[in-house]
Amino acid sequence: MQLWGLKTCDTCRKALKSLPAAEFRDIRATPLTDAEIAVLLNEFGEKLVNRASTTWRGLSEEERAQAPAQLLAQHPALMKRPVIRAGGVWYLGWTPAVRAALGVA
């Protein structure tokens, strides 16, 4: 199981605490490759870009108009977190549905 996010993200920390066997990857320390971004965008589409984040609010209109792949490459913190891969299945966020699917109460 892999968990991708930010070590400073409270939601990522909660997910990691509930999934101690998960391999954690801080996407600031080890940025996503273009191929990884493409896979995630293919899986989640526009939902991958967190438009409610402080990072998003700090972007100019020109920056917001960029393609999602370009935005995520330049601003890793824009990725909705955490992204979890378990048994070949991708999950986005730490919602009750994701926790139930992963068997976490």
Side-chain angles (χ1 to χ4, degrees):
M1 180 181 298
Q2 297 174 319
L3 191 152
W4 295 352
L6 299 173
K7 66 181 177 185
T8 56
C9 172
D10 289 338
T11 306
C12 293
R13 283 189 253 187
K14 289 176 192 173
L16 196 55
K17 185 176 180 182
S18 297
L19 303 168
E23 173 189 320
F24 180 71
R25 175 177 174 185
D26 185 325
I27 58 170
R28 272 201 188 115
T30 309
L32 298 173
T33 66
D34 291 342
E36 289 168 332
I37 291 171
V39 167
L40 294 177
L41 284 170
N42 185 54
E43 189 69 33
F44 302 116
E46 295 278 330
K47 293 185 295 184
L48 187 62
V49 178
N50 184 357
R51 288 183 166 79
S53 70
T54 55
T55 302
W56 177 261
R57 290 191 297 265
L59 296 177
S60 68
E61 288 301 318
E62 294 80 28
E63 288 174 305
R64 290 179 184 184
Q66 293 176 359
Q70 193 175 6
L71 277 170
L72 292 167
Q74 292 174 4
H75 306 281
L78 277 177
M79 184 181 86
K80 183 164 175 64
R81 304 174 297 270
V83 170
I84 302 167
R85 184 170 188 206
V89 179
W90 290 98
Y91 301 94
L92 182 62
W94 192 238
T95 63
V98 169
R99 291 194 299 269
L102 295 172
V104 177

